[in-house]
Amino acid sequence: MKASKITALMGAAAMLLSACGGSSSSDSAAGASGEKASDFKACLVSDAGGWDDHSFNESAKIGLDKAVKEYGIQSNTAESKSDADFGPNTQSMVDDGCKLIIGVGFNLNAATVSAAKANTDLQFALVDSVFTDTSNKQITLDNARPLVFATQEAAYLAGYAAAGFTKTGKVATFGGMQIPSVWIFMDGFADGVDAYNKAKGTNVQLLGWDKATQKGAFVNTFDDQQKGKTQAQQFIDQGADIIMPVAGPVGAGAAQAAQAAHDVYIVGVDSDWYTAYPDYKSVVFTSVMKEIGASVQDTIKADIDGKFSNEQYVGTLQNGGVSLAPFHDFDSKVPQELKDELQKLTDQIKSGDLKVTSTGDPRSTK
């Protein structure tokens, strides 16, 4: 395969790395069975939320850090402050000698696709999205792997649980942007609420999303927490007492609104918000979790062992790639009957007897 294309002078590359806030690690302990692990460098490029976003960027970084510790590889990271950083940050990882470069999030698609096409001797991966071309058509690259999640499965359980726990009969959800990796949560949540209503003969209302029309509430940002707080307050004013914000760090704004209200709770996303947001744990009912760190570590291990594949990694309930977090402080308040129903639904989804669908499911676009 052709050599990596170096598009900047070494001095300029060093300046770019410094400007983008990259940090290196070079633990040289023995690693896996492929090439010497100490010679292998895996690298991450963040979305604009940064490594401490309590969401997918932070989860990916945890996966990288575990790989460094367990396999003795080298690593580097580039933290993006805005969309303008995606291309330069990805190129800086190419220039730094990274053998596997992972972009974190849908927004890194264009930069990752461009770099993968220009550097066919390197491997790439993209968290939470398939690869698409400029017309948004899905494409396959020989040296690039999508790391995606059937998040609707765990969100279904969250919707069912929320419908079974609400006291007002109204629950809500909203998204950061209307992209597949966001509305997949909202689809699953909606189906879970609907399933509870059908099972119990109730009429719990879902505010913020209509799966049938694919229309709902979006704040068009993953950064502005005030917009999350404002949107959540609107739902609270309409009577919702459980809200699932699918908007990365913007969700912290929703948690602030819930905390300031009376008996209003939050369903977290991506990670377990009870631990990710300790200041708001008193209002975290549960969370829909994506094991992003595990997908990153799995991809790094495969590449070290010479087994890298461009085949999608799809996290599901069955393989542990997605899950519903514990109820933590609410555990004693959740009826045992509801817990038993959730376990039964989990088993049915894992076995394939119950299929939860979403147009955001990466497998549905193939």
Side-chain angles (χ1 to χ4, degrees):
M1 288 187 259
K2 67 181 180 181
S4 301
K5 294 182 180 179
I6 305 302
T7 61
L9 294 174
M10 293 301 292
M15 290 176 65
L16 181 57
L17 279 169
S18 176
C20 295
S23 58
S24 294
S25 170
S26 56
D27 187 341
S28 59
S33 60
E35 71 172 280
K36 188 177 178 183
S38 59
D39 294 333
F40 185 92
K41 180 178 283 190
C43 301
L44 288 180
V45 180
S46 84
D47 203 341
W51 300 125
D52 59 350
D53 66 347
H54 305 292
S55 189
F56 53 92
N57 284 317
E58 186 170 337
S59 297
K61 181 64 162 53
I62 289 171
L64 176 65
D65 291 343
K66 285 184 178 179
V68 169
K69 182 177 181 180
E70 293 184 22
Y71 310 140
I73 64 170
Q74 301 176 52
S75 71
N76 199 1
T77 65
E79 187 173 45
S80 305
K81 302 300 183 183
S82 70
D83 293 5
D85 292 334
F86 298 153
N89 278 354
T90 302
Q91 184 59 46
S92 75
M93 297 296 94
V94 173
D95 296 342
D96 192 51
C98 302
K99 297 182 179 179
L100 170 63
I101 300 168
I102 302 175
V104 187
F106 170 89
N107 290 325
L108 270 294
N109 171 68
T112 305
V113 168
S114 177
K117 288 181 175 180
N119 301 277
T120 56
D121 57 330
L122 305 181
Q123 313 290 8
F124 294 82
L126 183 63
V127 171
D128 222 14
S129 177
V130 296
F131 295 102
T132 58
D133 60 18
T134 54
S135 62
N136 206 35
K137 181 180 179 181
Q138 184 174 342
I139 59 174
T140 300
L141 302 171
D142 290 341
N143 62 329
R145 184 190 197 193
L147 310 181
V148 291
F149 304 85
T151 326
Q152 78 275 11
E153 295 181 350
Y156 180 98
L157 301 176
Y160 194 96
F165 195 73
T166 177
K167 301 301 186 292
T168 64
K170 292 182 179 181
V171 298
T173 185
F174 70 89
M177 295 181 182
Q178 194 162 358
I179 56 177
S181 58
V182 169
W183 78 64
I184 189 173
F185 280 89
M186 301 164 81
D187 278 350
F189 195 76
D191 281 348
V193 172
D194 186 55
Y196 184 87
N197 283 333
K198 289 178 178 177
K200 303 295 183 179
T202 52
N203 188 32
V204 175
Q205 292 181 256
L206 173 62
L207 308 178
W209 185 241
D210 185 324
K211 183 182 179 183
T213 63
Q214 293 284 287
K215 293 181 179 180
F218 295 90
V219 293
N220 297 313
T221 177
F222 289 111
D223 303 309
D224 190 341
Q225 292 188 14
Q226 183 57 46
K227 288 187 177 180
K229 185 175 183 179
T230 298
Q231 179 63 77
Q233 188 59 55
Q234 290 178 8
F235 288 143
I236 294 169
D237 292 343
Q238 294 175 59
D241 62 350
I242 300 178
I243 303 169
M244 183 179 72
V246 192
V250 171
Q256 292 171 24
Q259 196 171 57
H262 181 65
D263 293 335
V264 176
Y265 312 115
I266 291 292
V267 173
V269 297
D270 294 331
S271 58
D272 186 344
W273 280 24
Y274 186 85
T275 54
Y277 289 103
D279 290 345
Y280 305 124
K281 66 181 183 180
S282 64
V283 298
V284 176
F285 175 54
T286 185
S287 299
V288 179
M289 298 196 298
K290 291 189 294 192
E291 297 296 341
I292 290 172
S295 74
V296 168
Q297 191 171 355
D298 177 88
T299 301
I300 292 171
K301 180 65 163 59
D303 205 357
I304 295 171
D305 290 348
K307 299 177 180 178
F308 182 91
S309 167
N310 68 350
E311 185 176 345
Q312 287 182 354
Y313 169 96
V314 182
T316 65
L317 278 180
Q318 199 280 330
N319 66 19
V322 299
S323 62
L324 187 69
F327 293 112
H328 295 294
D329 292 349
F330 293 91
D331 189 70
S332 63
K333 302 175 184 178
V334 176
Q336 187 60 46
E337 180 183 1
L338 180 56
K339 293 178 184 177
D340 292 343
E341 290 169 357
L342 290 168
Q343 184 58 57
K344 183 178 179 180
L345 292 170
T346 299
D347 293 341
Q348 290 175 342
I349 294 171
K350 286 182 175 181
S351 69
D353 291 337
L354 173 59
K355 297 190 182 299
V356 186
T357 62
S358 171
T359 57
D361 188 328
R363 296 168 296 185
S364 70
T365 61
K366 294 188 70 176

